[in-house]
Structure formats: structure tokens, C-alpha cells
Amino acid sequence: MLLSKGFEVEMYTGTPEGEVVGLSDRIVADLEGFVREPDSRNVEYTTAPLSSYDRLLCALVKPRVRLREYLKQLGDYTLLPGSTLSLGGSDRFYRSDPNNPYHTYIEQTYGTKVVTASIHINIGISQPELLMRAIRLARVEAPLYLALSASSPFLDGEVTGYHSTRWGLFPKTPAIVPLFESHRHYIQWTEEQLELGTMQNVRHLWSAVRPNGDRRPYCLNRLELRICDLEVNPLALLAITALLEARIWQMMEDPSLDPLELSTLPAATRNEDLVALTDANEIAASRQSLDAELTHWQDGRTILARDWIEEIYREVWPIAKKRGFSCFLSPLKKILREGNTAQQWLKLHEGGSDTRSIILQGINGMAHQEWELEDNLCAQLVA
């Protein structure tokens, strides 16, 4: 049996010419399964927790097909790729719910830095201490998942210097989040942040990875990886998810695979040092993604993100094969070979394409890919 997996998918709505248009109020009112974000220009859907990768694929694609059909009823609207307001609109906030005090706080505190589209990957783990160990490992390797998914090199029509402008500008909150040494540590830390006001509520923990569950911080049942940019290719997203799941299975088979145990950094300051190292790696990955020079949490050596991913891929492939999902890892090889979305877009830009034509190409490619997957694979599953 595989671990359960689910996604929170944030996407921009807009015109086929790439203009982002706020439609979430109408979408949420008329379509079941969609929820609003603070800014009306993006909307979110959530997939149910599923173990099967085949079923996950359709759970990703079908809501998007349904949303596209609905958008056509509203007018000439579509879905847009990328994790930032690539072609413009970052100068103002378009509130989706003007009466929501938490949204007011977000707008006044962070502005449009949080008006981004991303993928949150949830992996079901019900034992609290096992969950905390998985979160520690995912946290120090989160920059690798960002490197694979980076898709936001543009903002307001300009090249920003980031591969993930979203994560480069995103206001991680609170500013310093430790590696949680136990469930009790997480509970105490969360209660302290709420008392200090550095978190407005239990959801206001905007780090690369966080525990999640029905009653945070007390009742937890899943790891939530929040760092990924919007990966619109469902097969690539499943590959990134398969890498995370295989790494967690590896950790469960070998409990010593814990940064707080295995790192050679000084024991007295290991937690703080690992957090500082990981924060620096996140910044590097947001700028150069797969070509970023990172510091390995285990022994402090410098390593390219792509080489580190290759190392882990080789380690976990036999584990994934034994459990029957190694085929879903294979698209990672294509990403490493051809580059992530941001790298492909920047290559087009360097070749003379302007940002608008690149985004338009992405819009058309995403729609065609969804149609192809829904028509071929999902139809077979239903049959």
C-alpha cells in the first residue's frame, strides 16, 4: 500500500492573451470543489487523498477541464501557467472577500507578494513523531523540489533574475522556523508564536514544509510541501511527488535518515545551523533552480541541485520499484535533461521571444496537454 497523496492547486484565470482576470467569486459560487484565495485573480482546487498515481492523475486533470468549460460560459477566458503575475498587475490587490479580516491583514502586511499560484503537495502520515521526522527531511531538501518546479522567471512582463520569483519574494512567516524535534516541540512553538502575534492563526505558518491536519497543532495527519511553483504538467508533478514519497519510504526503512541525527554539523547548534543552511539553499534555488550551488545538509559539501537530485533518484528508485511506482519517477529525467519551466522560458527569451509570446505558448500548451490526458488516460480508467 502506498501513502495517500493530495494536492492543493492554485491557478490564475484570465484571457487567452495572458491578462489575469479575477473570477474566483463566480467560480466558487458556481463550481463545487473550488475555493477562493485572498486575491480574486487566482482560484484553488483540492484533490482528495489518494494512494494510486493513476487516479491522482485524473484527480488533477478533471477539475481543470471542468473549470475550463465553465470559463467558456463566462466569456473568452482560460487558465494561465506560471506562479507570478508574469505579464502585469502586481501594482494592486483585487480582494476576493472584502469582509474577511484575515485577508485584510494579508493585503496590508504583504501586498501582492502573496498573489502567487503554486502547488502544495500533501502526503498522509498519521503517526506524529514519524511525521515530524519526515518533515525534517523534507524541509532540508525542499530546495530540490523548488528547483524541479520553478516556473516564475517573469513579473510584470520583465525578467526578474529569479527562476522562482514567487519563492524569491514570498514572505516566509514567521521569519525563523526551527526543525521541529518532536510533536510536543511543534505544539509549544506554535502556541508561543500565536501568543507573540508572529502568527495570526495556525494556518499562518508559511514555510517550505509544514505539518497539517484537522486540528493543528494537536491533531496532525499529513506533511504539506508548500515550496513548489505551479507545475502545470500533471506527469511532471506526479514525478516530483513520487520523489518525495520514495524519499519518505526510504526514511521509514532507515530511521537514521534524519537531519538532526545524521548531519555532521556541531550537535550543540545543529538545529539552527541546518535552518540557516536550508534558508540559504532556498534562496539559491529560487535564483538558479537546477543549476544552483547548494550546501548538502549531511556533510556540508557544495553540490549542484541537479546532481543532488540525481543522487537521491538513484537511491530511491529501487524503493519505488519495489512498491510499484518507479515508472512515475521517470519524467524527472526529462526535467533534468531539458530544464524546468522557468529554464525553458528563459531559453526562449534569450532566443528573442518576448515574455507575452512565451506565456501565450504556455497557455496553449497547457490546454492541449490537459485535453490529451483527459481524453486518453482518464477515459481508459473510467472504462
Side-chain angles (χ1 to χ4, degrees):
M1 186 67 177
L2 299 182
L3 300 173
S4 65
K5 298 162 284 286
F7 301 102
E8 299 162 58
V9 184
E10 300 164 354
M11 304 191 86
Y12 293 114
T13 54
T15 69
E17 290 72 44
E19 180 192 356
V20 185
V21 179
L23 299 166
S24 69
D25 293 12
R26 299 173 72 175
I27 295 166
V28 170
D30 294 341
L31 281 187
E32 191 179 344
F34 289 86
V35 296
R36 72 179 83 205
E37 291 289 295
D39 189 289
S40 66
R41 288 171 290 184
N42 52 22
V43 70
E44 178 185 301
Y45 70 92
T46 304
T47 67
L50 297 166
S51 299
S52 159
Y53 280 89
D54 290 322
R55 292 181 64 201
L56 268 173
L57 176 61
C58 292
L60 277 170
V61 173
K62 282 185 173 296
R64 272 154 61 171
V65 172
R66 193 157 51 96
L67 178 55
R68 283 185 185 281
E69 290 170 353
Y70 173 78
L71 290 174
K72 284 178 190 169
Q73 296 171 22
L74 297 184
D76 193 16
Y77 298 118
T78 187
L79 297 173
L80 279 62
S83 278
T84 46
L85 296 160
S86 298
L87 299 181
S90 75
D91 57 326
R92 60 167 296 190
F93 211 97
Y94 291 82
R95 286 284 294 275
S96 66
D97 185 358
N99 298 318
N100 187 315
Y102 183 43
H103 290 187
T104 300
Y105 173 85
I106 288 171
E107 179 186 6
Q108 292 175 352
T109 308
Y110 309 111
T112 55
K113 284 183 178 180
V114 297
V115 185
T116 63
S118 65
I119 297 272
H120 296 180
I121 304 171
N122 289 270
I123 307 283
I125 304 173
S126 57
Q127 299 141 280
E129 298 311 327
L130 183 63
L131 173 60
M132 290 300 154
R133 183 149 33 97
I135 286 171
R136 291 194 290 272
L137 181 61
R139 172 85 181 276
V140 296
E141 294 179 354
L144 304 179
Y145 300 99
L146 177 62
L148 286 164
S149 65
S151 66
S152 51
F154 309 137
L155 183 67
D156 292 333
E158 301 294 331
V159 174
T160 63
Y162 289 99
H163 289 192
S164 173
T165 304
R166 167 186 162 266
W167 199 251
L169 301 180
F170 200 83
K172 292 190 294 181
T173 304
I176 298 175
V177 179
L179 292 181
F180 299 119
E181 297 168 12
S182 64
H183 187 202
R184 171 52 51 189
H185 180 202
Y186 168 60
I187 290 171
Q188 291 173 339
W189 181 85
T190 302
E191 290 175 342
E192 185 181 335
Q193 303 311 306
L194 293 171
E195 196 172 316
L196 292 170
T198 55
M199 286 169 56
Q200 296 296 300
N201 53 52
V202 293
R203 292 178 296 142
H204 195 207
L205 171 52
W206 295 347
S207 62
V209 188
R210 71 180 180 190
N212 207 337
D214 300 330
R215 196 166 68 87
R216 288 171 281 180
Y218 311 106
C219 297
L220 306 172
N221 62 7
R222 61 192 183 274
L223 173 156
E224 182 187 353
L225 182 70
R226 301 167 49 81
I227 199 171
C228 290
D229 268 11
L230 176 63
E231 175 53 79
V232 298
N233 181 332
L235 296 174
L237 176 57
L238 290 184
I240 293 167
T241 306
L243 183 69
L244 176 60
E245 176 172 10
R247 192 64 163 153
I248 292 171
W249 279 114
Q250 184 185 14
M251 179 214 72
M252 289 195 286
E253 292 178 8
D254 177 10
S256 72
L257 190 55
D258 182 337
L260 289 181
E261 287 184 32
L262 206 55
S263 176
T264 57
L265 291 168
T269 58
R270 187 171 295 160
N271 198 318
E272 296 85 350
D273 292 347
L274 283 170
V275 169
L277 176 155
T278 302
D279 285 349
N281 282 346
E282 287 182 21
I283 292 168
S286 72
R287 289 190 178 279
Q288 293 296 322
S289 66
L290 293 171
D291 295 324
E293 284 195 354
L294 307 180
T295 304
H296 201 296
W297 62 263
Q298 194 168 336
D299 53 16
R301 74 184 188 274
T302 300
I303 183 169
L304 287 179
R306 62 172 65 252
D307 294 339
W308 193 348
I309 293 163
E310 282 273 15
E311 279 186 12
I312 293 175
Y313 184 97
R314 287 195 297 270
E315 286 182 35
V316 303
W317 193 87
I319 295 166
K321 186 175 188 225
K322 181 175 71 177
R323 297 189 175 272
F325 67 97
S326 57
C327 60
F328 287 97
L329 279 172
S330 57
L332 292 178
K333 290 287 192 181
K334 185 178 181 184
I335 298 174
L336 292 173
R337 187 174 61 250
E338 298 181 5
N340 56 40
T341 299
Q343 290 173 310
Q344 291 178 27
W345 285 357
L346 287 169
K347 189 175 180 182
L348 289 170
H349 191 268
E350 287 159 11
S353 298
D354 60 44
T355 53
R356 183 170 298 278
S357 65
I358 293 167
I359 296 298
L360 297 194
Q361 186 176 321
I363 290 170
N364 294 328
M366 177 168 59
H368 178 73
Q369 187 177 60
E370 281 166 28
W371 174 83
E372 208 169 42
L373 286 170
E374 209 252 350
D375 194 49
N376 296 330
L377 295 178
C378 296
Q380 289 176 25
L381 278 179
V382 171

